[in-house]
Amino acid sequence: MNESRLDETHDPAVLSLVASANVAGTDFPLQNLPFGVFRRGTEAPQIGVAIGDRVLDLPAAIESGRLAVSDEISNACLSRSLNALMGLGTAPRRTLRRQLFTLLRADNPLGADDAARANLLHPLAQVEMLLPAEIGDYSDFYASIDHATNVGSMFRPDNPILPNYKWVPIGYHGRSSSIVPSGTPIHRPNGQRKAPDAEAPTFGPSRQLDYELEMGVWIGKGNALGEPIEIERAEDHLFGLSLLDDWSARDLQAWEYQPLGPFLGKSFATTVSPWVVTIEALAPFRVPAAPRPAGDPAPLPYLNAAGDRDEGALSITLEVHLQSRAMRERYLSPVRVSRTNFRSLYWTPAQLVTHHASNGCNLCPGDLLGSGTVSGPEPEQRGCLLEKTWRGKEPIALPSGETRAFLEAGDEVSFTGRCEREGFVSIGFGECRGEVS
């Protein structure tokens, strides 16, 4: 691991003045410090930083003088979305992270000032979390070869992976207007669907509603129209990551996707977790890019860099939990459906950014890239029900005695993500949750 990425903010020995941030297993210890946008009651949205079970009110911290930052950083932090902060780039973000770390560590004088703490630190349970940024554009990729192989095997058993997959990161342009924060109800979409033995399609509610376990990659500093982003500089354009659920209507998708790809089967809802974990917080959890099988081509030169090969992937354990309405009524806990790791992707986040901008496409602060469903080679690592139930042929059993091939009304799906490495404090991403109405 490149030790230059590490600094005092990763020191596992430093505790926070917020007691809940020091509890083992918390998603938001002092070493994390993710950014989000929150609202209290009818107040205007504010930028905040998660710490334990509290949110630091960033504008209040600046206005009180507890957080002394440059005018450039101050103006960005006083915005009502993260876009301006995202657009500042790497150096100002690192500076702000160090200052936040100092403010929230246990030996800061703020810890002894009860009134100041109450003014700056609000209980997470008492605030409403909003979308972190104004998302101008959203693109979704297909970066897991295990997912692509499984899905291809269902529809093209003799040719599951098309020739271009191992050369080019496959993606499509999604719909930014239907991206919603965690906890927003998910409405079952209508659309055309056609059974294999039917003469004509019908129109109505999807009967094969699915989730997709993904990570969202948030763009920081943008690039000018016509100016590609070199792979060696791609991470200068990354702000951070969050959890992402790209809800999918499989029956609508199967009928409409040829010849141009996803449309109504994807555009009705995408859920993101509200906290964005910065690239700096993820530094201890970097790992080499997943090794390519023997015989696979090396990436073309514009997608190939030694630094990206050596530590361009991130080790993030991802889990999917499902709870039906009947389970809630019987006080049965959600059941874990899948467990996989983000490190297994065929393409790294930097490669996704570089390829997206390789034709001169201008990425902007707050743009969102989905990784595509994150799956592994084993059945328990499959990141959606389409794979998990093998297109509905192998339904999963729930503790209530119910079975699921696809999602039913009242089902709640939640994602979690966690980074762990010996010698460092583990960090999490919060929750990405949605209930089908």
Side-chain angles (χ1 to χ4, degrees):
M1 181 175 62
N2 186 344
E3 297 297 330
S4 66
R5 300 182 189 273
L6 302 179
D7 58 24
E8 69 274 14
T9 66
H10 302 103
D11 187 345
V14 182
L15 298 179
S16 172
L17 58 84
V18 178
S20 58
N22 303 322
V23 176
T26 179
D27 277 355
F28 307 127
L30 181 61
Q31 292 74 11
N32 192 346
L33 303 176
F35 292 95
V37 175
F38 73 97
R39 179 167 54 203
R40 293 199 300 163
T42 58
E43 295 179 0
Q46 308 279 359
I47 294 177
V49 176
I51 181 74
D53 62 359
R54 295 291 189 269
V55 54
L56 174 71
D57 188 325
L58 208 46
I62 293 172
E63 291 166 355
S64 69
R66 295 278 181 172
L67 192 65
V69 295
S70 67
D71 289 344
E72 178 186 46
I73 295 175
S74 175
N75 291 334
C77 292
L78 295 176
S79 300
R80 297 186 180 182
S81 74
L82 291 179
N83 296 70
L85 183 59
M86 290 172 164
L88 292 183
T90 303
R93 186 173 66 246
R94 286 178 176 169
T95 298
L96 177 58
R97 174 177 167 83
R98 292 190 183 101
Q99 292 171 307
L100 289 167
F101 187 85
T102 300
L103 174 66
L104 293 169
R105 57 186 293 161
D107 56 5
N108 189 282
L110 175 63
D113 190 332
D114 293 341
R117 285 206 322 273
N119 185 53
L120 301 185
L121 294 162
H122 311 304
L124 276 172
Q126 296 178 15
V127 304
E128 177 189 4
M129 296 305 302
L130 309 174
L131 285 176
E134 297 175 4
I135 304 167
D137 280 297
Y138 163 53
S139 299
D140 199 23
F141 283 88
Y142 198 49
S144 167
I145 195 167
D146 294 299
H147 173 64
T149 300
N150 285 335
V151 174
S153 297
M154 297 175 200
F155 296 93
R156 300 180 306 274
D158 297 329
N159 188 28
I161 294 292
L162 296 178
N164 65 340
Y165 186 88
K166 296 181 179 182
W167 292 98
V168 57
I170 303 298
Y172 71 95
H173 191 73
R175 182 76 183 175
S176 61
S177 65
S178 55
I179 299 175
V180 296
S182 178
T184 304
I186 302 302
H187 301 285
R188 186 178 297 271
N190 289 312
Q192 285 194 27
R193 62 202 180 210
K194 181 182 179 297
D197 56 351
E199 293 184 2
T202 59
F203 180 85
S206 170
R207 296 170 182 167
Q208 296 181 353
L209 186 60
D210 200 357
Y211 60 80
E212 287 196 345
L213 174 63
E214 302 193 23
M215 294 298 297
V217 178
W218 295 88
I219 298 298
K221 182 177 65 175
N223 62 301
L225 181 65
E227 295 183 3
I229 296 173
E230 296 176 358
I231 184 69
E232 293 84 1
R233 296 173 32 247
E235 290 200 1
D236 293 338
H237 297 265
L238 293 181
F239 181 83
L241 277 70
S242 62
L243 302 169
L244 186 150
D245 186 345
D246 188 40
W247 303 90
S248 301
R250 299 302 187 185
D251 43 358
L252 277 57
Q253 182 184 3
W255 173 237
E256 72 181 6
Y257 85 98
Q258 298 187 54
L260 291 180
F263 187 35
L264 299 186
K266 294 280 192 176
S267 63
F268 60 96
T270 300
T271 301
V272 293
S273 55
W275 295 107
V276 184
V277 177
T278 64
I279 291 297
E280 288 71 35
L282 293 167
F285 312 105
R286 289 177 169 275
V287 292
R292 297 200 163 196
D296 280 14
L300 292 177
Y302 81 103
L303 292 173
N304 204 346
D308 193 54
R309 292 194 302 272
D310 292 343
E311 55 177 14
L314 293 162
S315 181
I316 306 171
T317 299
L318 301 171
E319 293 187 353
V320 179
H321 289 83
L322 175 63
Q323 186 184 47
S324 70
R325 179 180 291 147
M327 290 170 65
R328 286 194 298 278
E329 292 172 349
R330 294 169 56 182
Y331 303 101
L332 297 173
S333 299
V335 62
R336 191 177 77 190
V337 178
S338 299
R339 189 172 194 265
T340 188
N341 197 293
F342 188 62
R343 68 186 300 170
S344 66
L345 293 191
Y346 200 77
W347 301 101
T348 67
Q351 288 173 320
L352 301 184
V353 170
T354 293
H355 181 67
H356 203 315
S358 62
N359 67 342
C361 171
N362 53 323
L363 303 178
C364 302
D367 281 359
L368 180 62
L369 311 183
S371 64
T373 303
V374 182
S375 294
E378 303 301 325
E380 63 269 20
Q381 297 174 317
R382 295 171 181 170
C384 63
L385 286 177
L386 179 69
E387 294 176 83
K388 191 73 180 177
T389 70
W390 209 254
R391 208 177 177 186
K393 296 177 181 178
E394 303 170 7
I396 59 173
L398 300 180
S400 56
E402 304 168 278
T403 61
R404 285 292 183 274
F406 293 98
L407 298 173
E408 302 290 345
D411 287 350
E412 184 178 75
V413 178
S414 59
F415 297 168
T416 58
R418 191 150 200 87
C419 299
E420 296 177 299
R421 183 182 177 186
E422 186 176 356
F424 294 92
V425 176
S426 66
I427 65 174
F429 288 78
E431 188 178 56
C432 181
R433 176 175 53 84
E435 180 183 333
V436 178
S437 64

